[in-house]
């Protein structure tokens, strides 16, 4: 495709509106790196949409602002009290990394993610028998929830801890359900990323489902990152590294990363906080090929 | 937050403080973007109370997932806009469109609405102006995808147009609109 075909394709507009599949998205990002015209066109589209939105701005009752501020302050307090912010984004589109399906039938069929709604639900029995790995996951989550519950009871006043446990349970439910679906799926492959020279003891497992473009990660062993640094996962797609997002440093939880429908290898590098555009190759900790 | 301080915050400053999870920035962020985001939310959700709830959720998500925002990939507003759109769509579907049949009703309603451009203006301040700046065909595509939050695949179904036509019209419409701001 030459540059003017790219500009006229309509894909750039859909990219900005977060409407593209993972593969199409990666293609647009590659174009943007290769052609300055594409990059600047993307920017013009974004500025245009922003202006459009501002021209349609609406007044809001002042009480809404107070509610937003107090909600976020609560959230911050809860974070500070040790409940980890989850890396697992709501099922769809919390980020430009998110993998979004474009078909009607797949649309938003995921569980509604509102914590408040889920908090009151009980976990229903799975419809199919689980494999061993799934059971281990269930048990681990149950134990960690129980541990957390006990710890919280000790540390906080009753009302605070109840709220926390509720949130944690709601998150666990969503995470477990989505993780189980990946692990249960017979197309899911386990890719062992093995430690390289820099830290030979390191090990990270990737659970990758190409059909569903889901990528899940479990840190088995990885040195704690230095301050202001973060690990970043890369998928090697058509011999080029593509970012799959930065890692939350935790050996307890499974994390969802950006999904891929094809990849030749996965690797983790140490990068500046928030991640980099390209991997720092001499800081590659683990690597696993398919 | 003192009003006069607001212009001092560039997008870059806001992102930096947001990603540092500095709660001080929330007020600035809200003052700058809430109205525009509310405009987007209200196109999908006409109910005032529900729209307010969705706006709150949108800001909570912006706060919670700020680490996922990557300035190299686009503007902050684009990222927030897509969170707002998706939160609004999720809320609509959770409340009303949990079954596909309802969803089809919704599409039919949308198609009806497209045929009567002048009536689909519950709150939008300049939406009529906007509609007048585009041909009805172009406006229908922008309205369905951008404001009502359909994917381009759904929009093609709803408007009974080939996918390629939807893409082209969206491109032409957004390009024409650029000239008006």
């Amino acid at each position: 495709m030459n540059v003017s075909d790219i500009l006229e394709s309509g894909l750039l507009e859909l990219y900005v509106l977060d409407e593209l599949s993972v593969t199409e998205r990666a293609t647009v990002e590659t174009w943007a790196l290769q052609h300055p015209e594409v990059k600047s066109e993307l920017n013009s589209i974004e500025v245009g949409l922003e202006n459009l939105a501002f021209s349609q701005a609406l007044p809001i009752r002042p009480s809404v602002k107070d509610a937003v501020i107090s909600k976020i302050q609560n959230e911050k307090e809860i974070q500070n009290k040790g409940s980890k912010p989850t890396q697992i984004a709501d099922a769809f589109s919390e980020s430009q990394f998110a993998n979004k399906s474009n078909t009607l039938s797949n649309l938003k069929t995921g569980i509604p993610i509102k914590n408040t709604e889920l908090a009151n639900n009980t976990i229903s029995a799975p419809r199919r028998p689980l494999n061993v790995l799934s059971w281990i996951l269930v048990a681990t989550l149950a134990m960690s929830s129980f541990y957390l519950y006990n710890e919280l009871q000790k540390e906080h006043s009753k009302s605070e801890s109840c709220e926390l446990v509720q949130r944690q349970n709601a998150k666990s439910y969503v995470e477990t359900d989505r993780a189980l679906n990946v692990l249960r799926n017979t197309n899911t492959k386990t890719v062992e990323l093995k430690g390289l020279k820099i830290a030979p003891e390191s090990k990270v497992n990737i659970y990758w489902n190409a059909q569903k473009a889901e990528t899940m990660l479990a840190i088995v062993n990885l040195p704690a990152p230095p301050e202001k640094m973060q690990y970043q996962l890369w998928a090697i797609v058509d011999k080029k590294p593509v970012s799959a997002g930065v890692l939350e440093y935790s050996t307890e939880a499974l994390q969802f990363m950006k999904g891929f429908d094809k990849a030749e290898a996965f690797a983790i590098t140490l990068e500046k906080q928030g991640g980099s555009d390209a991997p720092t190759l001499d800081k590659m900790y683990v690597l696993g090929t398919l | 937050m003192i009003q006069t301080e607001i212009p001092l915050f560039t997008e870059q400053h806001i992102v930096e403080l947001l990603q540092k999870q500095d709660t001080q920035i929330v007020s600035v962020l809200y003052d700058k973007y809430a109205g525009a985001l509310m405009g987007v939310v209200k196109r999908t959700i006409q109910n005032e109370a529900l729209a307010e709830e969705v706006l709150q959720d949108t800001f909570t998500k912006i706060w919670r997932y700020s680490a996922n925002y990557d300035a190299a990939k686009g503007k902050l507003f684009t990222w927030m806009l897509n969170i707002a759109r998706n939160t609004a769509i999720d809320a609509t579907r959770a409340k009303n469109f949990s079954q596909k049949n309802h969803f089809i009703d919704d599409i039919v309603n949308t198609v009806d609405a497209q045929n009567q451009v002048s009536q689909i203006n519950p709150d939008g301040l300049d939406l009529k102006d906007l509609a007048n700046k585009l041909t009805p065909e172009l406006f229908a595509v922008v309205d369905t995808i951008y404001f009502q939050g359909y994917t381009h695949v759904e929009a093609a179904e709803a408007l009974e147009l080939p996918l390629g036509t939807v893409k082209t019209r969206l491109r032409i419409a957004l390009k024409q609109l650029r000239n008006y701001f």
Side-chain angles (χ1 to χ4, degrees):
Chain A
M1 253 183 159
N2 67 38
V3 174
S4 82
D5 288 344
I6 294 173
L7 300 187
E8 296 304 326
S9 67
L11 282 173
L12 304 186
E13 285 76 10
L14 294 175
Y15 174 85
V16 170
L17 287 165
D18 198 15
E19 281 267 321
L20 295 182
S21 69
V22 174
T23 335
E24 291 172 314
R25 176 166 281 286
T27 309
V28 172
E29 281 164 13
T30 315
W31 287 339
L33 289 175
Q34 286 167 347
H35 310 290
E37 300 95 322
V38 173
K39 180 98 195 153
S40 94
E41 181 69 8
L42 283 171
N43 191 50
S44 304
I45 295 167
E46 288 194 74
V47 171
L49 277 176
E50 186 165 344
N51 290 335
L52 176 60
F54 273 90
S55 81
Q56 305 292 309
L58 291 174
I60 310 163
R61 290 192 302 133
S63 62
V64 178
K65 183 177 177 181
D66 300 336
V68 165
I69 289 175
S70 87
K71 251 188 169 176
I72 287 174
Q73 266 159 1
N74 279 343
E75 180 128 337
K76 170 101 178 178
E77 276 167 34
I78 288 165
Q79 276 175 25
N80 289 345
K81 281 172 188 162
S83 164
K84 276 174 289 186
T86 180
Q87 284 287 320
I88 300 182
D90 291 4
F92 290 91
S93 297
E94 298 312 322
S95 70
Q96 303 287 20
F97 292 141
N99 161 34
K100 190 170 160 186
S101 159
N102 285 326
T103 61
L104 184 57
S105 58
N106 288 340
L107 214 116
K108 319 284 176 190
T109 45
I111 303 163
I113 312 293
K114 279 196 180 156
N115 290 346
T116 47
E117 282 168 24
L118 283 161
N120 301 325
N121 290 351
T122 48
I123 297 174
S124 59
R127 283 175 222 107
R128 277 180 283 161
L130 303 178
N131 64 30
V132 177
L133 196 52
S134 310
W135 278 117
I136 294 170
L137 184 73
V138 171
T140 315
L141 272 161
M143 283 188 295
S144 59
S145 292
F146 182 72
Y147 172 76
L148 189 75
Y149 181 79
N150 279 333
E151 285 301 297
L152 288 169
Q153 287 295 348
K154 281 181 223 161
E155 284 176 25
H156 307 305
S157 76
K158 201 173 175 190
S159 64
E160 278 172 328
S161 63
C162 280
E163 192 193 339
L164 272 170
V165 168
Q166 225 179 13
R167 292 173 60 86
Q168 187 65 35
N169 285 344
K171 276 181 189 166
S172 299
Y173 173 74
V174 177
E175 290 168 12
T176 311
D177 195 83
R178 190 170 164 207
L180 282 178
N181 277 327
V182 175
L183 293 174
R184 237 186 238 157
N185 193 304
T186 46
N187 293 320
T188 300
K189 286 181 195 160
T190 306
V191 190
E192 272 190 32
L193 310 193
K194 297 200 176 97
L196 299 174
K197 223 176 214 171
I198 195 164
E201 301 295 300
S202 303
K203 191 182 160 193
V204 173
N205 284 341
I206 299 281
Y207 305 97
W208 178 49
N209 190 313
Q211 279 81 2
K212 290 183 180 297
E214 294 255 41
T215 310
M216 225 161 52
L217 175 151
I219 298 174
V220 181
N221 185 20
L222 204 57
E227 211 176 318
K228 305 236 163 129
M229 301 290 270
Q230 232 174 347
Y231 288 111
Q232 187 169 7
L233 178 68
W234 304 88
I236 313 301
V237 183
D238 297 332
K239 298 183 182 159
K240 286 187 191 126
V242 182
S243 172
V246 293
L247 275 65
E248 186 187 0
Y249 184 72
S250 160
T251 49
E252 283 154 29
L254 282 163
Q255 311 176 33
F256 276 95
M257 308 302 290
K258 178 179 162 186
F260 289 92
D261 55 5
K262 61 175 182 172
E264 294 119 49
F266 288 97
I268 289 173
T269 58
L270 188 65
E271 304 291 342
K272 65 181 191 289
Q273 206 160 31
S276 305
D277 293 337
T280 311
L281 296 175
D282 57 349
K283 293 277 183 198
M284 189 181 286
Y285 278 67
V286 290
L287 173 71
T289 49
L290 287 148
Chain B
M1 190 61 54
I2 304 156
Q3 286 295 318
T4 52
E5 278 184 20
I6 291 168
L8 297 174
F9 286 92
T10 62
E11 186 170 317
Q12 200 189 343
H13 277 128
I14 293 177
V15 170
E16 206 172 290
L17 291 171
L18 186 64
Q19 292 189 330
K20 276 187 194 154
Q21 299 273 280
D22 182 338
T23 51
Q24 301 284 327
I25 200 65
V26 178
S27 175
V28 177
L29 188 76
Y30 185 95
D31 288 343
K32 196 170 157 100
Y33 297 109
L37 294 175
M38 189 62 162
V40 171
V41 169
K42 275 300 267 308
R43 289 300 301 145
T44 313
I45 297 171
Q46 276 79 45
N47 178 291
E48 183 75 28
L50 186 58
E52 286 178 352
E53 200 182 303
V54 165
L55 189 72
Q56 284 184 34
D57 285 352
T58 301
F59 274 96
T60 316
K61 286 181 187 174
I62 289 167
W63 169 262
R64 191 182 299 161
Y65 299 114
S66 61
N68 290 355
Y69 168 69
D70 179 355
K73 290 193 177 174
K75 289 176 65 86
L76 178 66
F77 183 77
T78 308
W79 183 74
M80 299 196 299
L81 166 74
N82 286 323
I83 292 180
R85 287 172 80 227
N86 287 312
T87 308
I89 297 164
D90 285 347
T92 325
R93 299 208 169 134
K95 284 238 185 279
N96 303 323
F97 308 118
S98 49
Q99 287 166 6
K100 278 201 180 142
N101 291 343
H102 289 152
F103 186 71
I104 289 162
D105 287 346
D106 183 46
I107 288 176
V108 172
N109 290 337
T110 307
V111 174
D112 288 346
Q114 304 307 339
N115 295 331
Q116 306 164 26
V117 170
S118 59
Q119 287 188 9
I120 48 168
N121 184 21
D123 280 300
L125 295 174
D126 297 316
L127 198 69
K128 251 184 202 161
D129 299 348
L130 197 67
N132 290 336
K133 283 171 185 154
L134 297 170
T135 62
E137 293 79 27
L138 293 179
F139 179 74
V141 171
V142 173
D143 188 51
T144 316
I145 296 179
Y146 176 69
F147 287 112
Q148 305 193 29
Y150 286 86
T151 68
H152 65 293
V153 178
E154 291 171 303
E157 282 179 39
L159 301 170
E160 295 179 3
L161 291 172
L163 209 52
T165 310
V166 169
K167 285 186 198 173
T168 316
R169 286 191 187 169
L170 179 67
R171 155 134 191 99
I172 297 169
L174 293 181
K175 214 174 167 184
Q176 286 187 5
L177 285 175
R178 264 191 235 164
N179 300 328
Y180 293 106
F181 301 112

